[in-house]
Amino acid sequence: MFEVLRINLCSPLTLAFALGIVARLVRSELALPRDLVTSLSIYLLFALGLKGGVELSHSSLNQITGPAMATLLLGCVTPVTSYLVLRKLGRFGIADAAGIAAHYGSVSAVTFIAALQFTTTVGYPAEGFMPTLLTLLEIPGIQVALAIGLIQTARSQGTTGENFDASLRRSNRELIHELLTSRSMILLVGGLVIGTAVGETGWKPVQPVFEGMFKGLLTLFLLEMGLAAGSRLGDLKKAGFFLLGFGILMPILHGALGAWLGSMTGLSVGGCTVLATMAASASYIAAPPAVRMTLPEANPTYYLTAALAITFPFNLMAGIPIYFAISKALCN
Amino acid sequence: MFEVLRINLCSPLTLAFALGIVARLVRSELALPRDLVTSLSIYLLFALGLKGGVELSHSSLNQITGPAMATLLLGCVTPVTSYLVLRKLGRFGIADAAGIAAHYGSVSAVTFIAALQFTTTVGYPAEGFMPTLLTLLEIPGIQVALAIGLIQTARSQGTTGENFDASLRRSNRELIHELLTSRSMILLVGGLVIGTAVGETGWKPVQPVFEGMFKGLLTLFLLEMGLAAGSRLGDLKKAGFFLLGFGILMPILHGALGAWLGSMTGLSVGGCTVLATMAASASYIAAPPAVRMTLPEANPTYYLTAALAITFPFNLMAGIPIYFAISKALCN
Amino acid sequence: MFEVLRINLCSPLTLAFALGIVARLVRSELALPRDLVTSLSIYLLFALGLKGGVELSHSSLNQITGPAMATLLLGCVTPVTSYLVLRKLGRFGIADAAGIAAHYGSVSAVTFIAALQFTTTVGYPAEGFMPTLLTLLEIPGIQVALAIGLIQTARSQGTTGENFDASLRRSNRELIHELLTSRSMILLVGGLVIGTAVGETGWKPVQPVFEGMFKGLLTLFLLEMGLAAGSRLGDLKKAGFFLLGFGILMPILHGALGAWLGSMTGLSVGGCTVLATMAASASYIAAPPAVRMTLPEANPTYYLTAALAITFPFNLMAGIPIYFAISKALCN
Amino acid sequence: MKTVPLCLLTVIAESVLKERLVHDLRSVGARGYTLTDAEGEGSRQRRVGEILGANIRIESIVSPEVADRLLQLISNEYFDRFAVIAYLSTVSVIRGEKYV
Amino acid sequence: MKTVPLCLLTVIAESVLKERLVHDLRSVGARGYTLTDAEGEGSRQRRVGEILGANIRIESIVSPEVADRLLQLISNEYFDRFAVIAYLSTVSVIRGEKYV
Amino acid sequence: MKTVPLCLLTVIAESVLKERLVHDLRSVGARGYTLTDAEGEGSRQRRVGEILGANIRIESIVSPEVADRLLQLISNEYFDRFAVIAYLSTVSVIRGEKYV
Ligand SMILES: Nc1ncnc2c1ncn2[C@@H]1O[C@H](COP(=O)(O)O)[C@@H](O)[C@H]1O
Ligand SMILES: Nc1ncnc2c1ncn2[C@@H]1O[C@H](COP(=O)(O)O)[C@@H](O)[C@H]1O
Ligand SMILES: Nc1ncnc2c1ncn2[C@@H]1O[C@H](COP(=O)(O)O)[C@@H](O)[C@H]1O
Ligand code: NA
Ligand code: NA
Ligand code: NA
């Protein structure tokens, strides 16, 4: 276990993230150009999709059905558990609770990638179709949480009935369109389809870019994530102790649930670890703008700090090995 | 033939282009940062030049003279045929006809690259000096078409004589300077010279970037091209049926002419295919700003839609295999 | 010697720099997007640090102590010699002399990299810990020169005493903080630490990006340097003959000093060459903003032209081989 | 040259609002707009901006009536819950009919 | 502080015109200008911009005479055939002599 | 809508001054600012900008008193030695109390 932790902590990925945090702590002017960050995230998502697609072409539909169901179930359960814990135990308001829940119901692609890398490094590579599951988990969690938020707000204000229903449905349609056609969905799903279509032969000539450069560019991206997380550290105090605990314990709970569902549906140890990580991770790309637009009353400090400055580093440094240990225990 | 079409359609290049179009059709917010697009096109042109230069260092002047003459001839003929067809058959105005003709007289570097890739894939690699021909074809076609446009406009307005001559010559001088020192010329020609000078030894250490990464980054660029073409699709209706036919048939005509001239001057099947593709392709990098500045009366919707949303995808998906078939027939 | 010069001149690096200058001379519109340039320099510094760190993990502290002392000494001596020569021989004002001296007291990372590449190419690779020395030399030279400038200005204006001391100390504290936390320091030092920590195993997966792509991307960066230097060429006349001579002779002097100190402290021929190059090079990334803020009276035309349009190309094309020849003579 | 006075409305807002604001402009009758990227700080503290991109700055030349409708709309819909400011100034344009 | 009123001329144009407009500014007597990248929509539909980069926004502080000459020039040379708008406002500057 | 007139101060400066100017704004009492990237040319020739990035353009809505203090400060500290211009105009805002 300690060896596993050491491997995880001493990778360029984790250390680049730490470097970003340190740079912010010493108030360095270091900043990656915004266009570089956007370009890196476009690259990572597309490469992830392509690679996943190529490997998907070796998988049978049979293998996927179970894990896919498990993933969708996670997408419905995790936002609800998050919301309830935040409301009942954390005494957060409706909007804030729903906003944070939307983040924890969705998934962080970088954490997902880190888990993929980790399982490969420790010799338990995950199934090839994991990126397909990623696309399945990205959206429903946001949806469910925002719907809860809108409905509860309306109820608490007494505006129910037909009018509200119609407006809810309309804003929901817009939101679903936005999420389905979001950058990450297009690149992931598009990459998956292209990867499946071209197979190994078509993949060969683009492999140097989309596989060879992957870890290096991911390292740069984690540097940026570290910078972003570092500039959120000051907000930890405003977020309070409850959110700190929530950002660590909730992922462990969701991770255990994910690992269990994974093992039930026949995933390997690596696959379980990755599914657990997906369940445990909190989105900070897709969820924030959706929450900002739909529940503007929710305070961004809470959800961004929790997702980016608490849960992301926790998962990166300790979470993934924990989910791996749980998965190993469950699969034997 | 069908196998060849399949290979062409199932490459990551073509599919990335298609993904871009689909993203626009579903109104996705996906957009590549402008600086990334500029960087990619700088990279592609420079890499193309370097690679071409290294291979040029193995070629003899002897081999090149014939094909170079053929290329220059194409640069004079294709804008004239385009202009005449647009005026006489299409009933376009002077400015619009000349503006479109400038695009079809010049050449699209990405289509050129796609043809290079294609001929290599099907086992008929083109001569190493093709990028040299590319630089020869880029400018004269634009020049000829714009000159026609300016002269015809002047004639139709009755402003001939010395004054006009002087002003035409002045604006022509500016234009030639602009085209000769344009980004693509500097990068292509500069790359060619550097590549020739450094040869294989100097090429080795930069090969991972300028060759290894080429196809992968080209895939990303085609994603952007797809996005651009996709957002032009709505303009197809405004462009009208004539332009649709023109954008498909004119390239086939020019392609056949190119293939024939290539085979006359001793190019291999691959070389003929690439020369044919150059003749058939329409510029959408160098030509648009030149036309916009010189013939502002020409409607950009026409020339951009024709070059980008009709001829480019046609060449990418069906044109290149057709020119290959023609070349094969002519060379045997 | 001539063979060595030829190798140096015929590398893609030097030629890309030349291409940039030519592009400016023919007034081409070619420009690399600013974000690309920033991204490239972030990449180069971080890769340099990482690579250096991995190699540092094989070095003993013992080996480094001597060369580190030599480097710090160079950081104190070179700004003073530069300042004195500029004041006494060049008759520059206090601010201008100190401003230029700050540039020559610091170091140019790209020149450093070019020297590393050169020594490897000619078969005399430098020690693995050279990037560590780079970080040691970057700051003190700027510091020393600016302190001279501030003190001399104050003295010449008669504002001495406690007040001045306090304000000098305050602005010095700010400056040191700024330099220590500057982008290049964070990336270099951060990279060194990460590289040392992860060692060869952690380096492997990121090597394709941080080593494989290095020379190619450096070539692109040198294209940009050429563009920047090219647009400074017009200022050569304003800078005057003295600065032209200074920009060539001072580096040779500093280079010889560096080579001698290197050979005294046990560096190999390659190591001496690189240390000499560091001493000889002039900063144009870290120094300019520091000088601009601290000594706004200094004319940027002087220091930028000298560092970028005189000394940088001189070192790139002729300086490095000269320092190599000196080092070879001294080490035998 | 003969010029007409018109209103120049400037809106500075967090960038998630881009599509919505452009839509609003059109809906109240603005005939065009110009948009630049910006960053900034205001009375409210650092916001969602960091990851989502910073602010946008929208300028639109409109008639006084349209300007008023826009200010009304922005102050009703956005001021409380989003980081938005808006201000008006007077500019002189040629071809006044282009903007109304 | 003592300030003098001067004209601030703002031109928004498709970006192919950048060099020409800067040249025109200089030629009619402007002593400086500031340029930012922008995007936008106007009464004319989407233009060549897409591939060529979008709009530019040029600001120049000038005397009323220079402003008038510029408006005249822009309206003669560009308004019909290019996507360009221009407008004037009044600003107060220190060191008024710097701009005229 | 009911609006109040306030001062809009615009500062265009070489980009090394970014942090210092933002600090100055805050110190004399500005409650917010908006910043965009810009390039430009003025009466002084090409500057350090080339490598260090070009200009910045800072806008701040302030009360007349704050505007005056800022102009004073900028003209004392920067005008001689740095590439900086500053100008004032009048704008109408809603929620006037937000800015003073
Ligand atoms: N006084 C001001 N002057 C100029 N811009 C401002 C001012 N106050 C706020 N802003 C801009 O408006 C945005 C939103 O402000 P706020 O709603 O106060 O957070 C800020 O990010 C600034 O870009
Ligand atoms: N009413 C307006 N307000 C602000 N900007 C405008 C307006 N109309 C046009 N523009 C800008 O001017 C450019 C050219 O407009 P047009 O010539 O109408 O296509 C547009 O792309 C906008 O950036
Ligand atoms: N007349 C002007 N109109 C608009 N901007 C100007 C003007 N003069 C100077 N500037 C801007 O202010 C910066 C500094 O000007 P200067 O101090 O004259 O070099 C320039 O780079 C321009 O961006
Ligand atoms: Na989750
Ligand atoms: Na052609
Ligand atoms: Na030095």
Side-chain angles (χ1 to χ4, degrees), chain A residues 104-106 278-279 281:
Chain A
Y104 284 83
S106 184
M278 284 164 57
S281 72

Side-chain angles (χ1 to χ4, degrees), chain B residues 2 14-15 27 30 36 50 72 85 105 115-116 137 140 146 184 196 198 204 229 245 255 281 291 306 316:
Chain B
F2 279 108
T14 317
L15 292 177
R27 281 175 306 118
L30 176 64
L36 174 61
L50 278 176
L72 287 175
V85 168
L116 276 189
L137 188 50
L146 293 182
S184 46
T196 315
V198 303
K204 250 315 171 28
S281 72
V291 171
L316 194 66

Side-chain angles (χ1 to χ4, degrees), chain D residues 12 39-44 47 55 83-85, chain F residues 32-34 59-61 98-99:
Chain D
I12 294 160
E39 35 182 319
E41 286 182 87
S43 46
R44 284 171 268 192
R47 295 171 334 267
N55 286 348
V84 174
I85 68 167
Chain F
Y33 66 91
T34 297
E59 287 173 306
S60 186
I61 299 175
K98 184 181 189 322
Y99 305 96

Side-chain angles (χ1 to χ4, degrees), chain B residues 35 38-39 42-43 46 50 177-178 181-184 186-187 189-191 193-194 197-198 202-203 205-206 208-210 213, chain C residues 6 10-13 15-16 19 22-23 26-36 212-217 219-220 223:
Chain B
D35 278 6
T38 313
S39 304
I42 287 175
Y43 164 83
F46 194 47
L50 278 176
H177 177 263
E178 211 165 88
T181 62
S182 71
R183 193 171 72 192
S184 46
I186 296 280
L187 290 168
V189 175
V193 172
I194 295 179
V198 303
W203 170 242
V206 298
V209 165
F210 293 114
M213 286 166 53
Chain C
R6 205 196 54 78
C10 254
S11 88
L13 300 184
L15 292 177
L19 177 60
V22 170
V26 300
R27 283 176 304 120
S28 163
E29 37 124 58
L30 176 63
L32 269 55
R34 191 178 304 165
D35 278 5
L36 174 60
M213 285 165 54
F214 196 80
K215 289 203 193 169
L217 295 185
T219 305
L220 281 181
L223 178 60

Side-chain angles (χ1 to χ4, degrees), chain E residues 66-99:
Chain E
V66 171
D68 202 67
R69 260 179 277 154
L70 257 170
L71 277 188
Q72 197 88 51
L73 193 157
I74 287 172
S75 103
N76 290 343
E77 302 249 317
Y78 300 106
F79 274 168
D80 296 347
R81 305 186 300 174
F82 292 100
V84 174
I85 69 167
Y87 55 85
L88 280 183
S89 60
T90 306
V91 296
S92 312
V93 302
I94 334 181
R95 304 181 300 172
E97 67 294 348
K98 185 181 190 317
Y99 305 96

Side-chain angles (χ1 to χ4, degrees), chain B residues 78 103-108 137 254 277-283:
Chain B
T78 53
H103 288 69
Y104 284 83
S106 183
V107 61
S108 144
L137 188 50
H254 287 160
T277 306
M278 284 164 57
S281 72
S283 161

